[in-house]
Amino acid sequence: MGLGAIDLNLLVALEALLEEKNVTHAGVRLSTSQSAMSGSLARLRRHFNDELLVRVGREYELTPLAERLLPVVQASLYKAEEAMSLTRRFEPERSRQRFSVVMSDYLMTVFLEPLLRAIAEQAPDVRIDFHPLVYGQPETETHLRCHDLMMVPLGYQLPGISEAVMHDRFVCIVDPDNPRLKDGLLTLRDLAEMPHAASAFGKSLTPADRQLETLGITPRVQVSAPGFSVLPFLVGGTDLVAMVPERLARRYEGFARCAVVPTPFPDVPLVEAMYWHNNRHSDPAHRWLRETVRKVGASLDEPAASSAAAAAANGSTAIPATDASHGDHAFPPLVTAS
């Protein structure tokens, strides 16, 4: 039976009847008389060839078919309401839109919390479905089309449009009692001789790995793990060293047994970016999402700039340990895409 042959208003009545399990209460909820509600129930019973509601004592209970129908009807009405509310305007405070965003474990650690706070303040009913980045997955237009945003390091070979969002840089992490630590520092010789805990990203190398390669150092990898987030927990109580983004290292510094140490070579930058498909570029809702991500990234970069400015004003080169340990310079400004 096609949809044209069905009174879709019956779906609204069906949801009320199944949720309230009472004809009178469903009528009150929909501002409909009890007789009209009873008529709707009769039509629904004929359509489904099922009682839907059966009296048990003084109450009504759902039949097995009604139990299966309820979540389907709820989801259908939600999607119908969402479809009818879509316009070329986007009002975040009233929207119930659902977005799909892909992030690495690193970004989920350092970016997710401030992003969710920003979204909750502006759009409390907007839903975000976050998905992990699967390393080695084909970087195709079809894959990008399946999500609203993919947040990965700049330079990831994805089609579509990209924009830099946030800076970071690599640091070393070791057990605080590691005997190779001298005045809180490691040397290049240390990195060449120490066993490493490394992130496994398929065939891809991190910028820090490429820097070691340039310096002629081949890390002696003793332990590997998917992503960065587990590495701070691997170095504690061992002689391992790992190279991770500084924001992640600082996040774990307080409760994982690890000391954050500058790399014994010039800063190795990491620039995270958001990628999106061309067909979403002009959508108002997507523009709002990108702007929210952009502002969160800028707010995370601000402390480094503020610390550097304060240090310069005081004639000092120190930067608070909560943000950086790499000298007196801040991250350079990001360029916003059009």
Side-chain angles (χ1 to χ4, degrees):
M1 183 182 296
L3 284 176
I6 301 173
D7 179 1
L8 294 182
N9 286 320
L10 283 175
L11 279 179
V12 179
L14 179 59
E15 180 187 49
L17 286 163
L18 299 185
E19 288 184 347
E20 299 292 340
K21 300 181 185 179
N22 184 289
V23 174
T24 302
H25 293 170
V28 171
R29 171 172 156 177
L30 299 181
S31 302
T32 301
S33 68
Q34 182 174 351
S35 60
M37 208 72 220
S38 296
S40 295
L41 178 57
R43 294 174 63 189
L44 288 164
R45 282 169 166 168
R46 287 195 298 271
H47 175 80
F48 289 105
N49 192 28
D50 186 90
E51 285 298 299
L52 301 179
L53 293 174
V54 293
R55 185 180 288 278
V56 178
R58 300 180 62 182
E59 306 293 333
Y60 282 92
E61 291 187 0
L62 302 183
T63 66
L65 175 62
E67 293 277 5
R68 297 197 304 273
L69 275 173
L70 180 56
V72 177
V73 171
Q74 289 169 328
S76 299
L77 287 176
Y78 175 85
K79 296 304 282 185
E81 179 183 341
E82 184 180 48
M84 295 307 294
S85 66
L86 288 179
T87 65
R88 289 302 297 169
R89 295 179 58 208
F90 180 71
E91 299 175 328
E93 67 279 0
R94 299 176 59 186
S95 176
R96 299 176 69 184
Q97 187 146 338
R98 186 171 180 171
F99 296 101
S100 176
V101 178
V102 174
M103 279 186 176
S104 66
D105 69 314
Y106 153 63
L107 275 183
M108 285 188 179
T109 301
V110 304
F111 202 90
L112 199 54
E113 181 185 349
L115 176 61
L116 289 178
R117 284 202 308 268
I119 290 171
E121 289 172 3
Q122 301 176 56
D125 293 324
V126 160
R127 174 171 172 175
I128 311 288
D129 295 326
F130 290 100
H131 306 273
L133 178 64
V134 179
Y135 297 102
Q137 195 169 49
E139 300 164 7
T140 64
E141 182 180 9
T142 301
H143 185 62
L144 188 61
R145 189 191 293 270
C146 291
H147 304 283
D148 291 289
L149 286 179
M150 290 188 68
M151 298 188 64
V152 295
L154 192 66
Y156 213 78
Q157 299 302 309
L158 280 168
I161 306 169
S162 64
E163 178 181 331
V165 170
M166 183 191 79
H167 288 94
D168 208 341
R169 55 196 158 210
F170 281 84
V171 295
C172 299
I173 53 173
V174 294
D175 185 277
D177 295 328
N178 193 302
R180 287 189 178 264
L181 273 180
K182 304 297 183 184
D183 298 321
L185 299 173
L186 295 171
T187 66
L188 286 175
R189 181 174 179 177
D190 291 328
L191 291 187
E193 295 178 353
M194 294 172 70
H196 284 241
S199 300
F201 299 122
K203 297 180 180 179
S204 300
L205 295 177
T206 70
D209 291 332
R210 288 195 292 271
Q211 178 68 21
L212 288 181
E213 192 176 69
T214 301
L215 295 169
I217 297 174
T218 301
R220 183 163 59 88
V221 177
Q222 192 173 83
V223 181
S224 65
F228 289 115
S229 295
V230 72
L231 297 184
F233 300 97
L234 298 181
V235 301
T238 73
D239 57 352
L240 293 167
V241 61
M243 291 186 294
V244 301
E246 184 177 16
R247 295 186 194 280
L248 181 140
R250 296 297 181 191
R251 186 88 176 193
Y252 287 118
E253 190 176 21
F255 58 91
R257 183 176 171 78
C258 64
V260 181
V261 181
T263 55
F265 43 76
D267 278 347
V268 178
L270 174 65
V271 180
E272 293 291 329
M274 55 180 169
Y275 290 73
W276 64 94
H277 196 277
N278 289 280
N279 66 3
R280 290 178 167 85
H281 187 67
S282 299
D283 177 67
H286 200 272
R287 282 184 177 274
W288 170 83
L289 178 63
R290 298 197 308 265
E291 179 61 21
T292 303
V293 169
R294 186 180 299 126
K295 287 179 178 177
V296 170
S299 72
L300 291 175
D301 273 352
E302 280 172 4
S306 300
S307 297
N314 295 329
S316 168
T317 60
I319 292 181
T322 53
D323 181 71
S325 60
H326 277 246
D328 60 351
H329 64 280
F331 296 118
L334 294 171
V335 178
T336 301
S338 59

